[in-house]
Amino acid sequence: MNKPPQVVVIGSLNMDIVVEAERPPQMGETVHGNQVHFIPGGKGANQAVASARLGAKTAMIGAVGSDAFGTELLHALGQEGIDVEAVKTVANSHTGIASIVLSQGDNQIIVVAGANGQVTAADIDQFEEKMAQADVVLLQLEIPLDTVIYAASKAKELGKTVVLNPAPARELPDELLQKVDVLIPNESELYLLAKVDAEVELEAAMEAMLKKGVATVVTTLGSKGAAYLTATGERGLIASHRVQVVDTTGAGDSFNAGFSYALASGAAVGEAIAFATKVAALAVTKLGAQAGMPTLAQVEEFIAE
């Protein structure tokens, strides 16, 4: 990794409203909660924070509403050194939120897209220069699919490496997949995209994605690590790391950002995955998605140990 990497993240910004309670309410019932937390989130913003913490020059393209949450999210990203010039404020719209009830070790989540649903192709065109300067363009699926497709097309026109984290899970058109250099699903997302059932071998499911036009598939496997397969036939399984898990929120986002950082720094696919597994391992040892993202110094210390 010889050069300072540049990453553009195109995606969502949410405020996560987390309520802790002894148990979730039944329909029509009111229960008393124990605590409430307002935590900056959204897959796009989480990945941008993780990228910036690792030292990448990071720019974000997205949207917030004209409310206090939007102001707070922009401030939080700015504090991380992220370029937020391309995060527009949408008048008469609220910022995206995730309403999360935590109880009995599980959660219930309702996501309202808000301004995230207003990220358009025009925004991509307006800030094309941000993408032109990047090594890697990192995408997810919490903004309109048409915008994701357009962004991937524009990135390829500019000769950029496109990394897609296909979450939340949904079927995707080949038009998009053919523009993806690296697809990073988890196991359930992979099987949905490949349109095969869970009895099919993992490698066969990844091969199905290569046939759809993806250049490289990296499938995250939780505690088992990550498997990969490339169009050139390179394949492998990179083990995860044993750590004391505190909070798995944002684990996938940290992996995607760590992988993109390493790839933008010139690492090969296997090396980038090995680096990303270390980033994700550190991320789950702390509470909160963005708060738990490690710095490069922390990752290097972890590697040394």
Side-chain angles (χ1 to χ4, degrees):
M1 302 181 189
N2 300 317
K3 65 184 183 65
Q6 297 193 45
V7 175
V8 167
V9 181
I10 304 174
S12 59
L13 301 92
N14 287 336
M15 181 61 78
D16 293 349
I17 305 171
V18 183
V19 176
E20 296 183 31
E22 294 301 322
R23 63 176 180 83
Q26 301 297 315
M27 187 62 69
E29 181 188 21
T30 299
V31 300
H32 288 286
N34 299 328
Q35 291 189 73
V36 64
H37 311 275
F38 297 88
I39 304 172
K43 295 192 72 63
N46 291 347
Q47 293 178 18
V49 168
S51 171
R53 291 255 178 102
L54 293 170
K57 184 177 180 182
T58 306
M60 175 104 204
I61 299 176
V64 295
S66 53
D67 54 20
F69 285 159
T71 302
E72 190 172 341
L73 293 180
L74 287 174
H75 177 73
L77 293 186
Q79 290 286 95
E80 299 289 346
I82 296 166
D83 177 356
V84 294
E85 181 188 5
V87 179
K88 70 180 180 182
T89 299
V90 182
N92 302 316
S93 178
H94 67 80
T95 298
I97 64 135
S99 177
I100 304 168
V101 177
L102 290 180
S103 62
Q104 301 170 2
D106 209 344
N107 59 42
Q108 295 175 325
I109 304 175
I110 299 174
V111 176
V112 185
N116 292 314
Q118 303 298 315
V119 183
T120 66
D123 300 319
I124 306 303
D125 285 337
Q126 182 179 354
F127 296 104
E128 180 180 324
E129 185 57 32
K130 304 284 184 193
M131 296 169 69
Q133 295 170 1
D135 301 301
V136 169
V137 175
L138 178 55
L139 300 159
Q140 323 78 30
L141 300 175
E142 289 185 333
I143 60 173
L145 182 58
D146 287 348
T147 306
V148 175
I149 295 170
Y150 188 83
S153 299
K154 180 64 69 173
K156 293 315 296 176
E157 285 176 20
L158 295 168
K160 304 305 169 183
T161 298
V162 175
V163 176
L164 174 63
N165 173 212
R170 61 177 295 175
E171 293 185 4
L172 295 175
D174 292 354
E175 174 191 6
L176 172 58
L177 296 171
Q178 289 162 4
K179 296 176 176 68
V180 174
D181 293 294
V182 185
L183 183 76
I184 309 182
N186 62 27
E187 206 165 355
S188 63
E189 290 159 356
L190 171 68
Y191 282 97
L192 173 70
L193 289 168
K195 298 181 181 177
V196 296
D197 58 47
E199 281 69 44
V200 173
E201 287 189 3
L202 178 69
E203 188 163 311
M206 292 197 289
E207 284 175 351
M209 298 313 301
L210 296 184
K211 289 175 183 175
K212 290 176 179 289
V214 175
T216 295
V217 183
V218 177
T219 306
T220 57
L221 304 170
S223 62
K224 293 182 287 184
Y228 71 99
L229 181 65
T230 74
T232 59
E234 185 183 350
R235 66 198 68 204
L237 175 65
I238 308 292
S240 61
H241 301 270
R242 291 188 178 275
V243 293
Q244 187 68 43
V245 176
V246 173
D247 182 8
T248 59
T249 308
D253 293 331
S254 65
F255 183 96
N256 279 272
F259 179 88
S260 297
Y261 167 85
L263 203 66
S265 300
V269 170
E271 294 171 324
I273 295 170
F275 181 81
T277 60
K278 295 175 177 66
V279 175
L282 285 173
V284 302
T285 63
K286 295 182 181 177
L287 185 65
Q290 293 182 17
M293 299 303 182
T295 64
L296 182 60
Q298 289 168 333
V299 178
E300 289 174 339
E301 183 181 348
F302 184 65
I303 292 170
E305 290 173 356

